[in-house]
Amino acid sequence: MTQAPARRPTGRRQHDREIIALAVPAFGALVAEPLFLMADTAIVGHLGTAQLAGLGIASALLMTAVSVFVFLAYATTAAVARRVGAGDLQAAIRQGMDGIWLALLLGAAVVAVALPTAPHLVDLFGASDAATPYAVTYLRISALGIPAMLVVLAATGVLRGLQDTRTPLYVAIAGFVANGALNAGLVYGADLGIAGSAWGTVIAQCGMAAAYLVVVLRGARKHGASLRPDAAGIKASAQAGVPLLVRTLSLRAILMIATAVAARLGDADIAAHQIILSLWSLLAFALDAIAIAGQAIIGRYLGAGDTQGARDACRRMVEWGIAVGVVLGALVVLTRPAFLPLFTSDPAVKDVALPALVIVALSQPISGIVFVLDGVLMGAGDGPYLAWAMLLTLAVFTPAALLVPVLGGGLTALWATITLMMTVRMLTLWLRTRSGRWIVTGATR
């Protein structure tokens, strides 16, 4: 499976084909994920304000819980891709099964905590008396689907490692359609209210997990991989995931600090911040799709012992990241006047958001480099460095962001500190890739 870096033009075209083949379906699957919440919001929103408020609180808790475990996808992708590169598909799928078993164990633990503590978790968000019962109901029912959500993450990592991003796209589309149909039927047809929305989502998530498991189990049977839980393999998967967990928690802390600072700036600022953050997250999906391709491609090259192929692929993906970042930045600048009215008619919010969006636009090429190199180092299994680099970034960002209300500059200054954060990430990742220390070949790191 080693790619021969023969003539440069041919090599570039080969890398382009690989990147496009993996990144485009990955982008579709990433965009499908938030559509689950949008469908729930649209359906529940017609039940009443209290129900919608309850959904908002419960969804925030659920998405936080699930996003913390995104390492199940990242670590599994890298580990499986290495085995694929080494030509050992049996071990690759066995590695993936360890990740799936870990997902089931973590999911069971989260459910055990979430069910009894649901009222207390909702209270932490300061929910109103009217919204609280709806939030608790939705959280308790939806928590039952967390094991399935985590299995979806791990199984997605398995397929990405196997260089397959099309199947996750198909499953995500089917899950979105099923989720919408089930929610509408259970909420209105069965008159279950917000509980029907929660059950619809749980059923859809379980169906997605089942679809993934069917695909993985077929591969296991085909290549003679064992399906039994292996304590040593599960432990190894957990150890590989810990640094990525630290990275993810650090990033979540940065975003929470940014939101807290925006709230101190005033109502118009926090409203504009939420609009810009939603756009920033959407742009991140496009860049993250390239990063996902990077995880799979780099892991495969290193597993095959092809260091030059890994370097060439890294260089080409950085070029893609910069190019996509430039395009996204230009789109943000050009569509600002049309974009903001979709979310607000308040002139004060628009006035605050417009200059901050320019900062977001200018930072997109930097974000392109960051996402790509992040994916490259994940694919190389360089999790410990990513964890330390993100902790350093958090240490730089925190005081800079907290000074914004003191020194002035408003939301534009806050987004300048977020750009500073991305610049620090870019420098730490660039220094690591330049050093070559991430290049470790073989079926395991």
Side-chain angles (χ1 to χ4, degrees), residues 253-271 273-274 277 352 397-418:
I254 286 171
L255 297 178
M256 289 176 64
I257 291 169
T259 300
V261 170
R264 292 186 180 185
L265 297 176
D267 290 345
D269 293 86
I270 184 61
H273 177 73
Q274 288 303 112
L277 190 61
V352 171
F397 170 78
T398 301
L402 295 179
L403 283 174
V404 169
V406 178
L407 300 179
L411 191 66
T412 301
L414 176 60
W415 275 92
T417 64
I418 294 175

Side-chain angles (χ1 to χ4, degrees), residues 93 97 100 155 158-159 162 164 166-168 170-171 208-223 227:
I93 296 175
M97 285 304 304
I100 290 173
V158 176
L159 295 181
L162 293 170
D164 176 11
R166 291 182 179 273
T167 300
Y170 300 148
V171 173
M208 291 173 66
Y212 275 118
L213 288 176
V214 168
V215 174
V216 174
L217 293 179
R218 284 178 179 172
R221 284 196 297 268
K222 179 179 179 180
H223 297 286
L227 302 177

